Amino acid sequence: MSEYHGIHIEDIFNSMKARFRPEGAAGVNHTFGYDISEEGKWRLTVKDGDMSLEKADDLSSCDVVMETDGATFVGLNIGKVDAMSALTAGKLKIRGDVNTFGITSKIFQKYVPPGAETTQEQELIALKQTISVDQRFATGPVMGKFLQGLKNKTILAIKCPSCGRLQSPPREACAICRVRNDEWVEIGPKGEMRMMEYCYYASPDPLTGETRETPYGAIGILLDGCQGEEVFWHLLRPDQLDRVQMGIVMGDRVRHGTRLRPVWAKNRTGSVFDIQYFEIDE
Amino acid sequence: MQKTVDSADAYVIDGKLALPYSYFAGRVGSTFITALRDSRQILGVRCEKCHKVFVPPRQTCEKCMADLRENWVTVENTGEVINFTVVRYSDRHLPREAPYILAMIKLDGADTPMVHILDEVKSEDVKAGMRVEAVYSENTTSTILDIDHFKPVS
Amino acid sequence: MGYRKKNRHVGIVGVGETKFSSHREDVNQAEMIHEAVRQALDDANLTMDAVDCVVHGNMELFEMIHQPDLWHTLGSGSYGKEAFRLTTGGTTGGTLACSGDNLAASGMYDVVMAIGFEKLQEGHTTGGITNMADPLWARKLQSGALTDSTAVKLIEEFGADRARRAAMTYRIIMDKHACLNPNSHRAFGLEWDQMDELMETSPPLIGDLRLIHMCSQSDGACVVIFASEEKAREITDTPVWVRDHITVHREETLNLCNNYYPTDTTHRFAAEKLYERNGITDPLEYFDVFEMYDPSAWWGTDWLKEFFLLAGDAHLKLVEDKEIMIDGKMPINPSGGVIAANPIGATALVRVAEAAKQIRGDAGPHQIQKPVNHALASAFGGTMWTVLTMLEKELNW
């Protein structure tokens, strides 16, 4: 058995029983696999507030499996290696749900290397707070007119009297020409998909803490009547992510993107989600 | 500029801003809080050059930039009111229901006053120079509110 | 345009950087900043008495505290001094350098200390960024600071395999540089033979943008001290001269509503203007190092084209031929760049500090071995905002 950072891997596994926290394991019912290259495989079963650990040849029955090397594994346990960094660098792989593996940090007390028990670290205070304030936003006349338009299933753009470009959502002025926009034009509602951000990772909404389901597609649509960079930003119907093509203009090369149409919400309140999403126009 | 836009479509929508964060007190701040919480002792740091004892403690002297991290001193749980005010409105971010008294209190052994809540006294009876002492809270929050409030020395 | 030559020359006389890391529970914000302040003062052999003005910057909302410059007086040394706070998003550090240069050049102050910091671990980056977007529209749609648009563009133009390899080559080069820099937050020790595996297995974020491509979230601070020519010569034998700077942004994208698909980049616009007014015709020949604000390996690869005004696939070749390595023709980010450490409010100031150290020749293990006389540093903000700073060893233009 090799040593990493002066610690035997067996020490970490053998001490698991002593470090087990039944209160942290309450309600947890999972099998965790540890596949440490050149060292061996272990299967940890946590069930009914108890645990068992065994060496195993086959981890395929486990809910989640960690694959890593000895140095990374020991490093993670003694706090020398950051899990996110190891994951990023490909030194740590998780088969199954990463968050499930994260539960183990609640189930076990931190591993303390033999001999290090007596050196007491200073307690460092960290305060957790949430700022929560109510806000009010005035739409103003221009954004207000646009949002009211959505209620009536129309998508409005505003036109620059100088350069003629369209903006939707609209803005009061054309920032390039520095003039007030004054003409309203109805655009779309159908158009061509130009750009899609195929999002595998969703940031939690800081207002609700909810995370959008992934994958999702944030798209730029060139609505009929628009040109060039005048794209409209919205979402794609979630089950159609793999069926669409982006349009592109690169020098003389022009490729048209998939034709899309809006799916209107039943109850429209003058918000971005008066359009549920765009879907393939077929 | 003359207003030429039609405001008929303008309206107001409600929003909310909720932002979670942590604050790391650091070694100096943590030493102060844990002493308060675990031993009911109030610690400060001394700047030898400026002859000042700072409470709450800080890592460096604001004037001469000397490193004060190791210059711990224990100050008294008693002190005097330098100045005070009465908070007369209630808000969810405030520690007490109004009205309550906030006072600048210079502890015995310290050169800098700190702000805290003054209680067990009517606001009309509070005077600058009044002697006060710390009353510790029953439940800890690992914050300065581990001192629940100050009260007049009996 | 409104550009005028400076009133007087300005030199960098001191720099300080903390070690960058994922979290710093052992210090509060003021104490962390103080580490960099102390280093910069020591580096310049000055005390705080010599500093006339302090400029402080970080991201708005990121630590969720109001007026951090006031909180930080104890660590920044700004007690009783004239002080400003700047917060211009990702470019904050670049704007700090601009203002240090401007304030000293103006004649108002002889010695100006610029401080950039971030303790990302304390705050909620996404919360901060989300609140930048228009609450009526884009706040519901945006995907934080992540985008796949550059990867889409490069793949469209050069084919998936070549584009993906170029981005991963860029990434591994940055990691090799990061391994040389003792201040790096993330230095993995990636090897060339990991390339294929990383392209397949690194967790995907958006489209072809994977976790491995993206910059880190770091805690840390950086300080740069600027001085007028006369003062600079008194303070040090090795001042690094700030020849020029430029700041360019597209107000258009600021509400993140329109122009989802910008074609003219602020990078190219800024670079063209800066080179033109300084008589630089071939930037690739002229500069000896470029510290780029590169939030991801895709952007880093693509932006070489913009900053050096290249055409065709010249930027890809620079990467593929490893000419951007520390011993190559045009070393990019010998420090490891933003992918190695990203304490956002400090990040762009770190680019200037690192470029200055390369010119002085005392960058440490990641010092370029060839002489460095001309350096370029960039800053970037997600609303399409570019700041470029040009540094020189000799005051001879």
Side-chain angles (χ1 to χ4, degrees):
Chain A
M1 189 60 48
S2 324
E3 231 177 59
Y4 305 94
H5 305 288
I7 291 161
H8 291 291
I9 286 203
E10 293 279 0
D11 277 349
I12 293 175
F13 284 112
N14 291 343
S15 63
M16 271 180 157
K17 195 87 190 167
R19 291 187 285 121
F20 185 68
R21 296 174 61 244
E23 66 274 23
V28 178
N29 189 358
H30 283 300
T31 50
F32 304 87
Y34 296 84
D35 184 348
I36 318 292
S37 58
E38 295 173 25
E39 298 292 341
K41 294 178 181 146
W42 285 262
R43 182 193 294 121
L44 166 71
T45 308
V46 179
K47 197 180 175 187
D48 303 331
D50 203 356
M51 64 151 275
S52 62
L53 181 77
E54 60 198 334
K55 288 213 71 160
D57 295 326
D58 179 15
L59 297 176
S60 57
S61 63
C62 292
D63 300 334
V64 278
V65 178
M66 165 194 284
E67 292 174 14
T68 189
D69 59 88
T72 305
F73 179 71
V74 174
L76 286 167
N77 274 278
I78 61 173
K80 289 223 181 228
V81 173
D82 168 51
M84 195 62 182
S85 295
L87 215 53
T88 310
K91 290 186 173 168
L92 166 68
K93 294 195 189 91
I94 304 287
R95 275 195 275 127
D97 182 9
V98 175
N99 293 329
T100 302
F101 225 106
I103 299 172
T104 53
S105 66
K106 295 199 189 88
I107 300 178
F108 295 100
Q109 282 168 359
K110 207 167 166 264
Y111 174 76
V112 181
E117 298 93 336
T118 51
T119 54
Q120 210 178 356
E121 269 286 299
Q122 184 190 351
E123 180 190 355
L124 295 174
I125 305 284
L127 296 174
K128 292 204 181 303
Q129 307 264 312
T130 299
I131 293 177
S132 176
V133 288
D134 296 330
Q135 297 176 307
R136 304 180 80 217
F137 299 108
T139 63
V142 172
M143 196 66 183
K145 187 176 172 76
F146 167 78
L147 292 171
Q148 300 282 11
L150 294 179
K151 282 192 194 171
N152 304 322
K153 296 194 186 181
T154 55
I155 304 175
L156 296 174
I158 204 162
K159 189 173 184 178
C160 170
S162 177
C163 69
R165 75 181 175 125
L166 299 176
Q167 288 180 282
S168 183
R171 301 187 76 188
E172 292 78 355
C174 173
I176 293 171
C177 304
R178 302 179 198 214
V179 295
R180 184 181 287 278
N181 291 327
D182 56 2
E183 188 187 339
W184 288 93
V185 181
E186 190 176 338
I187 55 172
K190 294 182 181 180
E192 170 197 330
M193 194 181 92
R194 294 299 296 276
M195 172 68 198
M196 174 165 74
E197 302 274 16
Y198 197 122
C199 303
Y200 299 94
Y201 167 83
S203 313
D205 182 334
L207 301 193
T208 61
E210 283 170 18
T211 308
R212 193 181 288 156
E213 268 192 49
T214 55
Y216 71 94
I219 53 175
I221 315 145
L222 192 67
L223 293 175
D224 294 343
C226 299
Q227 57 183 342
E229 293 180 15
E230 296 162 4
V231 294
F232 186 83
W233 191 6
H234 216 280
L235 300 173
L236 185 67
R237 196 172 117 178
D239 61 346
Q240 295 187 335
L241 292 192
D242 295 312
R243 292 180 50 204
V244 289
Q245 175 176 265
M246 298 184 212
I248 199 147
V249 179
M250 197 168 271
D252 297 336
R253 193 148 61 92
V254 178
R255 188 184 67 218
H256 288 289
T258 308
R259 292 285 301 170
L260 302 176
R261 66 185 173 216
V263 176
W264 295 97
K266 282 210 172 59
N267 296 318
R268 291 181 301 282
T269 57
S271 101
V272 60
F273 291 126
D274 282 0
I275 299 171
Q276 276 183 283
Y277 41 66
F278 280 76
E279 66 176 4
I280 298 171
D281 185 29
E282 54 191 358
Chain B
M1 198 169 70
Q2 201 189 346
K3 193 176 154 198
T4 55
V5 290
D6 176 6
S7 298
D9 292 323
Y11 61 104
V12 172
I13 63 162
D14 290 328
K16 195 177 177 184
L17 181 76
L19 302 168
Y21 73 102
S22 310
Y23 181 76
F24 298 156
R27 290 194 185 283
V28 173
S30 297
T31 303
F32 175 71
I33 291 293
T34 49
L36 202 62
R37 184 190 65 192
D38 302 338
S39 348
R40 299 197 164 181
Q41 275 193 334
I42 304 173
L43 300 182
V45 287
R46 182 196 307 280
C47 177
E48 301 294 350
K49 195 175 156 198
C50 303
H51 306 292
K52 262 194 161 183
V53 172
F54 295 101
V55 178
R58 69 272 311 267
Q59 182 180 283
T60 48
C61 175
E62 65 202 13
K63 281 198 167 156
C64 73
M65 300 282 279
D67 186 344
L68 308 179
R69 273 176 292 188
E70 304 300 326
N71 306 359
W72 290 102
V73 291
T74 305
V75 300
E76 300 298 323
N77 286 345
T78 52
E80 69 175 78
V81 172
I82 300 295
N83 209 338
F84 69 98
T85 189
V86 183
V87 179
R88 298 192 189 274
Y89 75 105
S90 292
D91 196 298
R92 63 184 177 194
H93 70 267
L94 295 175
R96 293 271 172 112
E97 282 287 310
Y100 66 96
I101 305 164
L102 273 184
M104 300 280 281
I105 296 161
K106 192 167 86 171
L107 295 169
D108 297 329
D111 292 301
T112 57
M114 68 175 190
V115 178
H116 217 294
I117 297 161
L118 183 56
D119 205 347
E120 302 186 39
V121 61
K122 287 182 186 158
S123 58
E124 53 267 32
D125 295 337
V126 183
K127 289 186 185 65
M130 187 177 198
R131 299 285 302 160
V132 294
E133 66 180 303
V135 178
Y136 288 87
S137 59
E138 293 303 316
N139 303 314
T140 176
T141 51
S142 294
T143 70
I144 190 69
L145 287 177
D146 281 9
I147 298 174
D148 187 75
H149 62 273
F150 282 80
K151 66 168 186 181
V153 171
S154 44
Chain C
M1 300 285 279
Y3 171 71
R4 297 274 186 286
K5 277 217 151 76
K6 282 197 243 179
N7 191 37
R8 56 180 179 173
H9 293 300
V10 174
I12 291 172
V13 297
V15 296
E17 283 173 41
T18 63
K19 162 105 176 91
F20 302 112
S21 70
S22 58
H23 51 90
R24 288 293 308 272
E25 282 102 334
D26 59 324
V27 282
N28 68 21
Q29 292 166 17
E31 291 164 354
M32 184 182 77
I33 284 165
H34 187 72
E35 290 175 10
V37 168
R38 180 78 67 179
Q39 252 194 56
L41 288 171
D42 290 350
D43 182 49
N45 199 21
L46 292 177
T47 68
M48 208 58 216
D49 293 341
V51 176
D52 303 315
C53 177
V54 175
V55 194
H56 171 287
N58 75 314
M59 294 297 276
E60 201 166 354
L61 285 181
F62 274 20
E63 285 78 16
M64 307 301 161
I65 60 172
H66 186 55
Q67 298 275 77
D69 50 328
L70 302 186
W71 286 48
H72 297 166
T73 302
L74 291 175
S76 67
S78 61
Y79 181 87
K81 303 211 178 267
E82 302 210 14
F84 299 90
R85 174 168 189 243
L86 293 174
T87 174
T88 63
T91 54
T92 294
T95 315
L96 286 167
C98 292
S99 58
D101 186 18
N102 282 347
L103 289 166
S106 73
M108 293 252 329
Y109 309 100
D110 287 335
V111 180
V112 181
M113 176 186 273
I115 304 173
F117 95 99
E118 213 73 66
K119 268 191 113 180
L120 287 178
Q121 202 61 31
E122 296 195 6
H124 191 267
T125 317
T126 309
I129 288 181
T130 306
N131 278 287
M132 182 176 69
D134 182 328
L136 300 176
W137 195 256
R139 200 175 286 187
K140 308 283 188 201
L141 298 174
Q142 59 143 356
S143 49
L146 303 174
T147 175
D148 176 42
S149 53
T150 308
V152 167
K153 192 180 80 175
L154 283 175
I155 287 171
E156 190 68 43
E157 192 169 0
F158 300 106
D161 188 60
R162 189 178 178 199
R164 285 183 186 137
R165 281 184 183 282
M168 196 54 72
T169 303
Y170 185 95
R171 179 66 189 89
I172 295 177
I173 290 172
M174 288 308 130
D175 188 64
K176 292 202 174 292
H177 291 171
C179 287
L180 299 173
N181 181 356
N183 282 340
S184 293
H185 165 193
R186 297 195 310 175
F188 298 137
L190 300 179
E191 297 297 341
W192 293 114
D193 60 13
Q194 280 180 270
M195 186 133 137
D196 290 289
E197 199 195 338
L198 286 171
M199 290 193 324
E200 287 297 318
T201 62
S202 174
L205 297 172
I206 296 189
D208 264 280
L209 178 75
R210 291 174 181 272
L211 191 55
I212 187 74
H213 295 122
M214 240 356 245
C215 57
S216 58
Q217 293 201 14
S218 316
D219 289 1
C222 176
V223 169
V224 177
I225 304 175
F226 298 85
S228 64
E229 180 182 354
E230 191 186 342
K231 276 279 177 191
R233 290 190 195 278
E234 278 174 33
I235 292 167
T236 174
D237 295 332
T238 54
V240 175
W241 303 107
V242 185
R243 178 161 171 180
D244 200 357
H245 66 247
I246 187 166
T247 174
V248 171
H249 58 98
R250 278 180 75 137
E251 182 274 343
E252 274 293 84
T253 51
L254 201 58
N255 72 344
L256 295 180
C257 267
N258 301 97
N259 289 51
Y260 193 49
Y261 212 48
T263 47
D264 297 329
T265 75
T266 48
H267 292 339
R268 185 171 283 259
F269 186 87
E272 278 172 354
K273 289 270 182 254
L274 185 74
Y275 303 156
E276 186 192 336
R277 71 194 190 197
N278 286 284
I280 292 161
T281 49
D282 186 350
L284 209 49
E285 279 304 314
Y286 184 80
F287 291 106
D288 303 311
V289 63
F290 177 28
E291 274 285 338
M292 192 209 297
Y293 194 117
D294 55 345
S296 83
W298 284 105
W299 267 337
T301 305
D302 184 52
W303 290 353
L304 289 170
K305 183 173 176 176
E306 307 300 305
F307 286 123
F308 292 113
L309 313 181
L310 302 174
D313 64 351
H315 56 308
L316 286 202
K317 282 186 179 149
L318 276 176
V319 175
E320 290 161 347
D321 299 342
K322 303 196 175 82
E323 293 291 2
I324 62 166
M325 280 193 82
I326 189 165
D327 54 357
K329 178 179 165 52
M330 172 46 70
I332 306 292
N333 296 347
S335 63
V338 183
I339 305 176
N342 189 26
I344 304 183
T347 302
L349 193 60
V350 174
R351 310 278 69 76
V352 175
E354 286 290 331
K357 285 199 280 187
Q358 289 292 344
I359 286 183
R360 296 199 313 204
D362 59 2
H366 57 293
Q367 175 66 44
I368 295 168
Q369 290 310 310
K370 285 185 277 190
V372 178
N373 296 312
H374 316 289
L376 184 66
S378 78
F380 171 70
T383 55
M384 302 301 144
W385 189 333
T386 305
V387 182
L388 285 174
T389 309
M390 261 181 86
L391 303 181
E392 300 280 350
K393 183 167 193 154
E394 305 294 338
L395 206 169
N396 60 2
W397 60 87

